[in-house]
Amino acid sequence: SQQGEEDPQALSIQEGENATMNCSYKTSINNLQWYRQNSGRGLVHLILIRSNEREKHSGRLRVTLDTSKKSSSLLITASRAADTASYFCATDARKAAGNKLTFGGGTRVLVKP
Amino acid sequence: NAGVTQTPKFQVLKTGQSMTLQCAQDMNHEYMSWYRQDPGMGLRLIHYSVGAGITDQGEVPNGYNVSRSTTEDFPLRLLSAAPSQTSVYFCASSANIPGLAGGPSYEQYFGPGTRLTVT
């Protein structure tokens, strides 16, 4: 099974509302990253949080990391229709897992105008 | 910089045919990787490379070969295409090599993808 698992799988909200999605992982990590994918496009990096950080902000994005629970959350505040996309977490695990970034299954977010 | 480029954008193959998906980056990144994405799913790692001349298998390597003769290029070869290989393929590169404790942490840059259909 994948290292990162997102929850929920899909989310539908009204414009202006906040969107929260979670990611759980299994092994120790160096960092955790969040990516966005618009329909039919490649992934775009949003934010990276290191294992020794607990919270990070970037514009309307807020990411938290709880290494004791092996989980992270991504909050998008004041959502816009343009935020409609799939969001993926990716974990950079320690060397024992190999030199690879492992992606979760993603959360599909629909922001209705 | 062009970033990460992939060719072709679309490809239709018949079962048993072979082909090479091209990937190139102009950012002098050490780390390159190939993923496949099936409908409604996340990305699964096929192969990756930590530098020229060094490649390793990912999660789903069967049916695919890679080579890394230069820093810039990381082609993915399908040896004998099967319908199960119908997918969207993404190439990515990074200045950072994942898995290195205490190493710098950089984002992955993704190409636009190749949509492959095997009939």
Side-chain angles (χ1 to χ4, degrees), chain B residues 12-101:
Chain B
V12 178
L13 291 177
K14 293 188 188 310
T15 297
Q17 287 185 317
S18 62
M19 78 159 295
T20 298
L21 306 185
Q22 301 292 345
C23 174
Q25 52 89 12
D26 59 359
M27 298 172 281
N28 201 33
H29 284 172
E30 289 186 81
Y31 187 81
M32 297 186 74
S33 54
W34 276 102
Y35 296 88
R36 60 176 287 175
Q37 184 178 35
D38 298 308
M41 297 183 66
L43 279 72
R44 290 186 291 170
L45 182 65
I46 304 172
H47 286 284
Y48 63 92
S49 170
V50 299
I54 306 170
T55 64
D56 206 345
Q57 295 182 351
E59 185 184 355
V60 288
N62 292 342
Y64 308 94
N65 272 358
V66 291
S67 59
R68 185 95 179 269
S69 56
T70 66
T71 299
E72 294 79 17
D73 301 298
F74 191 43
L76 177 73
R77 281 182 288 277
L78 278 70
L79 309 173
S80 177
S84 60
Q85 294 178 304
T86 293
S87 189
V88 181
Y89 291 84
F90 290 100
C91 178
S93 75
S94 173
N96 172 49
I97 296 174
L100 300 181

Side-chain angles (χ1 to χ4, degrees), chain A residues 2 30-31 33 35 37 40-45 48 50 88 92-95 98-101 103-106 108, chain B residues 31 35 37 40-45 48 50 90 96-103 105-108 110-112 115:
Chain A
Q2 293 179 314
N30 289 326
N31 64 69
Q33 304 179 32
Y35 288 80
Q37 183 182 34
R41 308 291 292 272
L43 276 71
V44 174
H45 181 262
L48 180 153
R50 299 174 189 273
F88 297 89
D92 177 353
R94 296 291 166 80
K95 179 63 165 75
N99 299 109
K100 53 192 178 185
L101 203 62
F103 286 81
R108 293 185 304 281
Chain B
Y31 187 81
Y35 296 88
Q37 184 178 35
M41 297 183 66
L43 279 72
R44 290 186 291 170
L45 182 65
Y48 63 92
V50 299
F90 290 100
N96 172 49
I97 296 174
L100 300 181
S105 297
Y106 297 110
E107 63 189 270
Q108 300 271 320
F110 282 82
R115 188 174 295 274

Side-chain angles (χ1 to χ4, degrees), chain A residues 33-97:
Chain A
Q33 304 179 32
W34 285 92
Y35 288 80
R36 183 185 72 222
Q37 183 182 34
N38 291 96
S39 181
R41 308 291 292 272
L43 276 71
V44 174
H45 181 262
L46 293 176
I47 197 165
L48 180 153
I49 186 165
R50 299 174 189 273
S51 60
N52 60 356
E53 296 176 314
R54 292 296 166 258
E55 188 170 313
K56 206 159 182 183
H57 297 256
S58 177
R60 293 183 295 111
L61 305 180
R62 173 178 169 255
V63 168
T64 63
L65 179 65
D66 187 334
T67 53
S68 66
K69 295 181 180 177
K70 293 187 169 58
S71 68
S72 173
S73 68
L74 170 66
L75 168 67
I76 306 173
T77 60
S79 63
R80 304 168 182 168
D83 294 327
T84 294
S86 291
Y87 293 83
F88 297 89
C89 68
T91 50
D92 177 353
R94 296 291 166 80
K95 179 63 165 75

